[in-house]
Amino acid sequence: MREGRVVAALDNFLGPLHNGVWEVEVPKASVTEPLDPGWKRSAINVPTPGTVASYRKGRYHVHETATEWKVHLDRYDPAVHPVMHLVDDAPLVFMIAATFVALVDDVWRTNPENTRAVLEEQTTAWQMLVLFGCAGMATGAFVVLNPLLSFSSIVHLLMPLVFIALGILIVGEGVQIRPFQMVSARRILSGIMVIFIGVISYDLPVEDWGAIIFVLIGVWGFGSAAMTFRRLSRGREAVPEGFYTWCAIGCLSLLLALLIFMTPVALVALMTIVLGAIALLAGLTLVVNGLRLRGRMIRR
């Protein structure tokens, strides 16, 4: 305790997470101390409405909003068990649904604080937001209208780039810039291998890419369904985030995995249409935010 005021770190409010509470919402005014070094900024997260940043500390995962810290406890630390984290904490069906909800929320959300910051800093012009938004909407519309052609282009061009970008991120986690030093030789080597896979995968036929994606989605779906139903069998206490919600997620995960083997072509089209719809919604979000920014610049 410091003289004149009570010191309160975010960690002091996390006890209920170990007693059956799914998420704690802590007002920023209640947290007087900055996040300690154990909290690391998370670059990849399931989209959440209102989130401006996200941090992890072991199994703790916090979403920062303008006024609150929203913290939940993952079942698996993604840094230690990345596969199990995807299977149990972030099923594919849940990630897709959360992305749609976050994008729709962002379209309708009015956020004058963010707009004011943009105006003051002059970091982005409304024309660029609208331009990129229109490009995203056009891309999304093309994907929705031409799913199989788009799938071929995505797997042949974008998937290798995804591997290369992922490899670069892994290498980056293995080094420290200031001062420059090697943190993890294993991560550097793993990142280089992933980059190499990305480079040579440009010559991989679309059919082979499709088979790989089918297997990954099928395993992900079956694994998520199995883990979800296993927890559901223990009763409501084992699923504090919502019994019926995760019952639906488990059923949809199983259905998704079954469709992989029953109607692979139709599922390819459906998944590609979903990606196109996400791109269309993301573009619409940029356009709406750009027009809002323009309106505030006019009234300024």
Side-chain angles (χ1 to χ4, degrees):
M1 179 181 295
R2 294 178 182 172
E3 184 178 354
R5 69 185 180 97
V6 176
V7 175
L10 180 61
D11 299 52
N12 299 144
F13 299 89
L14 306 184
L17 296 177
H18 298 278
N19 295 302
V21 175
W22 157 238
E23 182 179 71
V24 294
E25 298 179 358
V26 184
K28 284 188 171 180
S30 300
V31 180
T32 59
E33 292 293 292
L35 297 181
D36 66 56
W39 291 97
K40 304 297 182 183
R41 185 154 187 157
S42 178
I44 302 176
N45 308 278
V46 176
T48 305
T51 296
V52 297
S54 181
Y55 302 86
R56 293 186 183 276
K57 183 179 184 180
R59 292 169 56 205
Y60 292 122
H61 188 188
V62 57
H63 291 276
E64 179 187 3
T65 70
T67 59
E68 293 179 314
W69 301 99
K70 296 183 177 181
V71 194
H72 66 267
L73 187 66
D74 288 330
R75 292 177 180 82
Y76 295 92
D77 180 354
V80 180
H81 304 288
V83 174
M84 292 304 298
H85 175 71
L86 277 178
V87 169
D88 202 7
D89 291 308
L92 180 59
V93 171
F94 173 72
M95 294 177 67
I96 292 173
T99 299
F100 272 105
V101 170
L103 287 173
V104 171
D105 177 83
D106 200 29
V107 169
W108 296 107
R109 181 185 296 272
T110 56
N111 198 335
E113 291 80 8
N114 286 350
T115 303
R116 189 179 302 115
V118 172
L119 288 173
E120 291 174 353
E121 298 173 9
Q122 293 295 305
T123 56
T124 305
W126 70 270
Q127 295 97 330
M128 295 301 294
L129 289 174
V130 173
L131 178 63
F132 283 113
C134 289
M137 292 175 66
T139 301
F142 178 84
V143 171
V144 169
L145 295 174
N146 304 274
L148 295 180
L149 176 61
S150 299
F151 175 80
S152 177
S153 301
I154 289 171
V155 300
H156 195 255
L157 298 176
L158 294 186
M159 289 302 293
L161 288 177
V162 169
F163 274 96
I164 293 172
L166 179 61
I168 292 174
L169 287 175
I170 295 174
V171 170
E173 292 179 351
V175 298
Q176 179 178 301
I177 303 299
R178 295 181 181 178
F180 183 83
Q181 62 178 348
M182 181 183 299
V183 177
S184 172
R186 181 175 64 85
R187 285 189 176 274
I188 294 174
L189 181 60
S190 299
I192 292 174
M193 292 178 62
V194 172
I195 293 172
F196 178 72
I197 292 172
V199 171
I200 65 174
S201 66
Y202 273 108
D203 294 326
L204 195 65
V206 173
E207 294 78 9
D208 292 344
W209 268 119
I212 293 172
I213 293 173
F214 288 161
V215 171
L216 290 177
I217 293 178
V219 172
W220 193 354
F222 274 125
S224 296
M227 296 298 291
T228 300
F229 291 139
R230 180 182 177 186
R231 285 191 282 108
L232 290 170
S233 67
R234 299 173 184 167
R236 295 177 183 272
E237 295 77 12
V239 197
E241 57 268 54
F243 184 86
Y244 292 109
T245 297
W246 279 84
C247 183
I249 289 173
C251 292
L252 290 174
S253 295
L254 180 60
L255 177 62
L256 179 67
L258 292 175
L259 288 175
I260 284 286
F261 301 101
M262 296 171 60
T263 57
V265 175
L267 184 63
V268 164
L270 176 61
M271 296 296 292
T272 307
I273 289 172
V274 168
L275 289 176
I278 290 174
L280 200 155
L281 270 175
L284 179 61
T285 300
L286 291 177
V287 170
V288 170
N289 287 340
L291 294 178
R292 285 176 181 158
L293 177 58
R294 178 177 180 273
R296 295 187 181 280
M297 291 174 70
I298 292 174
R299 293 193 298 270
R300 193 181 184 192

